[in-house]
């Protein structure tokens, strides 16, 4: 018994020694950054302990105000992470080709596979090269009729809310964005705006909730223990249904393209619930036509890219559109300027005009408003990376394996670049504004080689939505508009929706 105790004591002492040595190494690196002092075992956990998600979001951003642009946070048991908001180090990370997504992104892999969002290295370079042509402006122009059609449905749905007091517009935007992304990515109509209980729409929503819950679980660093989560089996069932749906669409479209090649055309069948036509190439169509080393992509390869586009393209645009609506409701003078621009360009036909990308490009003030809204509330407030190689920062070497969080929300609130950063001032993005901005001072769609491939798509959808909405309604703030707070996982969201009121324009 004595010998067993002695062996255990030696092992414990050795483990404690190694733990202490690692702590000292981390503290030496952290000394080149500012941050809250970590407790011996629980690190900086005390900074966030007992706080709600909105409070945690506020606390994280408050750390930058207290400690500066680049903050070191040492979690429990020497879990070292850097929170960066300084453009110099942000540029280093985003320009690096030796990083991968941080581990919380791994929780999306059961649904998204290792598509463009989650892949790295050679696979990422290959996929990026394959997918880039799908976002050429000529392809995006083909999607404008989808945006117009779905936005018109949204306007009709909102008519029941006119003069009916405060309501949450966020859910309406979510369903609208989901219909748009399904039509443009896969060429199918799921009619989420007419049927919010649609199985696919509910499945996408559930998977997002599963990710959110897991990302902030105490077990998140132990992926092998996922089977212990109470919703593990349900997540598996939901993801299988999502995959089955995408697989069926891929196979159907593959057969249609083969028929098209055989007879020279494919008939458009509106009763089949699809949006295929000879003049529109969907994202899925582009992938089905691609070959790598003379071979087409497999169904699994195509599915992970389509699902990735579905995920990234509906949550982010929902956030961007919704917070733009919120800002316009809170700033009636700015809303009036946007409407005046619409009225000047479209006149009495504003409600019925089919919007084109060329027409939207002429709306300069609308462009400034959307850019400012994306500055104030970037849809993706944090970007997570893990270093695959050592990197120099602030005069020290940050070792490979370190988790890096790029805080876009804080980057966009740098008072040296954006005076009065909490204020909504679209004129910041006027051509007459003489304040110099670096390429990494404003990055709502990230930057560098891994910037958002769908940013032009998102901006077009946002502009169509705002123009259609303001042409029909005046957006007023609700009684609780000023109480909206932020919470964030991969996408920034309102805590209690986006409360607004609507008045019909004459």
């Amino acid at each position: 018994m004595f010998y067993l105790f002695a062996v255990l004591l030696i092992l414990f002492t050795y483990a404690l020694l190694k733990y202490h040595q690692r702590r000292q190494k981390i503290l030496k690196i952290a000394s080149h950054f500012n941050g809250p002092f970590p407790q011996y075992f629980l690190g900086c956990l005390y900074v966030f302990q007992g706080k709600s998600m909105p409070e945690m979001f506020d606390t994280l951003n408050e750390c930058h105000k207290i400690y500066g642009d680049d903050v070191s946070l040492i979690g429990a048991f020497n879990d070292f992470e850097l929170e960066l908001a300084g453009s110099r180090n942000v540029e280093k990370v985003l320009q690096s080709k030796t990083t991968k997504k941080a581990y919380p992104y791994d929780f999306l892999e059961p649904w998204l596979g290792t598509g463009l969002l989650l892949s790295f290295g050679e696979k990422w370079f290959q996929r990026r090269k394959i997918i880039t042509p799908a976002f050429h402006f000529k392809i995006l122009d083909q999607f404008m009729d989808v945006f117009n059609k779905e936005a018109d449905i949204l306007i009709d749905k909102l008519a029941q809310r006119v003069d009916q007091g405060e309501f949450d517009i966020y859910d309406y935007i979510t369903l609208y964005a989901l219909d748009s992304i399904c039509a443009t990515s896969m060429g199918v109509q799921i009619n989420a705006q007419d049927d919010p209980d649609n199985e696919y729409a509910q499945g996408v929503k559930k998977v997002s909730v599963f990710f959110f819950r897991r990302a902030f679980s105490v077990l998140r660093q132990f992926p092998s223990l996922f089977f212990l989560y109470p919703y593990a089996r349900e997540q598996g069932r939901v993801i299988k249904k999502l995959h089955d749906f995408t697989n069926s669409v891929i196979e159907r479209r593959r057969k249609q393209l083969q028929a098209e090649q055989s007879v020279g055309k494919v008939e458009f069948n509106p009763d089949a619930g699809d949006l295929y036509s000879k003049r529109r190439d969907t994202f899925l169509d582009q992938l089905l036509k691609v070959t790598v080393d003379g071979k087409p992509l497999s169904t699994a390869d195509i599915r992970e890219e389509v699902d990735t586009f579905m995920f990234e393209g509906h949550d982010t645009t929902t956030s961007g559109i919704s917070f733009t609506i919120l800002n316009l409701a809170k700033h009636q003078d700015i809303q009036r300027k946007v409407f005046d621009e619409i009225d000047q360009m479209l006149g009495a036909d504003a409600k019925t005009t089919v919007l084109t990308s060329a027409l939207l490009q002429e709306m300069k003030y609308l462009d400034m408003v959307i850019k400012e809204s994306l500055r104030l509330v970037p849809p993706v407030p944090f970007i997570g990376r893990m270093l695959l190689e050592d990197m120099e920062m602030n005069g020290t070497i940050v070792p490979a394996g370190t988790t890096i969080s790029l805080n876009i929300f804080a980057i966009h609130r740098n008072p040296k670049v954006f005076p009065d950063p909490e204020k909504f001032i679209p004129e910041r993005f006027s051509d007459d504004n003489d304040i110099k901005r670096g390429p990494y001072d404003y990055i709502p769609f990230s930057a560098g080689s891994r910037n958002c491939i769908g940013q032009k798509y998102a901006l077009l959808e946002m502009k169509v939505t705002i123009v259609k909405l303001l042409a029909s309604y005046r957006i007023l703030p609700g009684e609780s508009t000023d109480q909206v707070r932020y919470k964030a996982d991969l996408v920034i969201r309102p805590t209690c929706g986006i409360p607004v009121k609507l008045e019909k324009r004459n």
Side-chain angles (χ1 to χ4, degrees), residues 155-424:
I155 300 308
D156 289 342
K157 296 294 180 184
L158 290 174
Q160 62 185 315
R161 293 292 185 172
V162 172
D163 299 326
Q164 296 299 309
E166 178 181 309
F167 73 102
D168 177 15
I169 200 171
Y170 190 84
D171 287 340
Y172 285 87
I173 302 300
T174 299
L175 298 173
Y176 155 71
L178 191 55
D179 273 344
S180 295
I181 201 73
C182 278
T184 53
S185 66
M186 294 187 283
V188 297
Q189 291 176 294
I190 64 168
N191 301 314
Q193 294 192 85
D194 290 320
D195 180 19
D197 296 326
N198 173 283
E199 188 174 47
Y200 187 82
Q202 288 299 308
V204 171
K205 185 176 181 179
K206 285 180 180 179
V207 171
S208 298
V209 172
F210 293 148
F211 169 82
F212 180 81
R213 291 171 64 182
R214 191 175 177 188
F216 293 95
S217 166
V218 293
L219 295 177
R220 67 177 187 166
Q221 295 186 56
F222 306 98
S224 61
L225 298 180
F226 178 62
F227 70 93
L228 296 176
Y229 287 74
Y231 53 86
R233 288 188 178 182
E234 184 184 2
Q235 174 177 300
R237 288 192 295 269
V238 171
I239 288 176
K240 184 180 184 305
K241 288 182 179 179
L242 292 176
H243 283 172
D244 288 346
F245 177 80
T246 307
N247 286 340
S248 68
V249 173
I250 292 171
E251 290 306 316
R252 185 178 71 179
R253 186 52 179 156
R254 181 181 276 123
K255 291 177 181 178
Q256 287 177 316
L257 286 177
Q258 290 172 349
E260 181 179 356
Q261 292 171 354
S262 299
V263 301
K265 66 177 182 177
V266 61
E267 295 298 327
F268 173 54
N269 180 8
D271 297 328
D274 63 37
L275 280 171
Y276 294 123
S277 68
K278 193 172 182 179
R279 66 183 182 81
R280 183 190 297 121
D281 259 348
T282 66
F283 181 60
L284 171 57
D285 288 344
Q286 299 295 308
L287 294 174
L288 284 167
K289 295 174 183 177
V290 163
T291 58
V292 178
D293 297 328
K295 297 180 180 179
L297 295 176
S298 68
T299 296
D301 287 334
I302 294 173
R303 188 190 68 219
E304 64 185 11
E305 297 303 346
V306 171
D307 286 344
T308 294
F309 190 44
M310 286 294 306
F311 169 75
E312 290 196 277
H314 108 271
D315 253 359
T316 52
T317 52
T318 294
S319 177
I321 293 168
S322 297
F323 283 108
T324 301
I325 290 171
L326 178 68
N327 283 316
L328 289 172
K330 292 169 68 174
H331 300 87
Q332 291 292 307
D333 55 331
I334 294 173
Q335 183 179 159
R336 166 54 64 178
K337 289 182 181 179
V338 179
F339 175 74
D340 286 346
E341 182 177 64
I342 296 169
D343 188 52
Q344 183 178 1
M345 291 191 65
L346 305 180
D349 298 325
K351 296 179 183 179
T352 57
T353 297
V354 176
L355 301 172
T356 64
S357 57
L359 185 60
L360 293 172
Q361 286 176 9
E362 295 299 315
M363 298 185 179
K364 303 300 183 183
Y365 193 71
L366 171 66
D367 189 60
M368 289 189 282
V369 165
I370 287 179
K371 286 179 177 178
E372 175 68 348
S373 185
L374 293 175
R375 179 197 70 82
L376 202 59
V377 194
V380 180
F382 306 107
I383 299 175
R385 293 285 188 271
M386 178 180 288
L387 300 184
L388 299 178
E389 292 183 0
D390 295 352
M391 181 178 291
E392 186 279 328
M393 290 186 199
N394 291 13
T396 190
I397 299 298
V398 179
T402 300
T403 298
I404 308 289
S405 178
L406 309 180
N407 190 331
I408 298 177
F409 191 90
I411 292 169
H412 287 182
R413 280 167 167 72
N414 183 344
K416 296 177 182 177
V417 180
F418 302 104
D420 295 321
E422 303 295 331
K423 292 184 178 180
F424 187 69

Side-chain angles (χ1 to χ4, degrees), residues 411 414-419 428 433 435-438 441-442:
I411 292 169
N414 183 344
K416 296 177 182 177
V417 180
F418 302 104
R428 298 181 199 275
N433 189 345
I435 295 178
K436 301 294 183 182
R437 285 195 308 272
D441 289 324
Y442 177 73

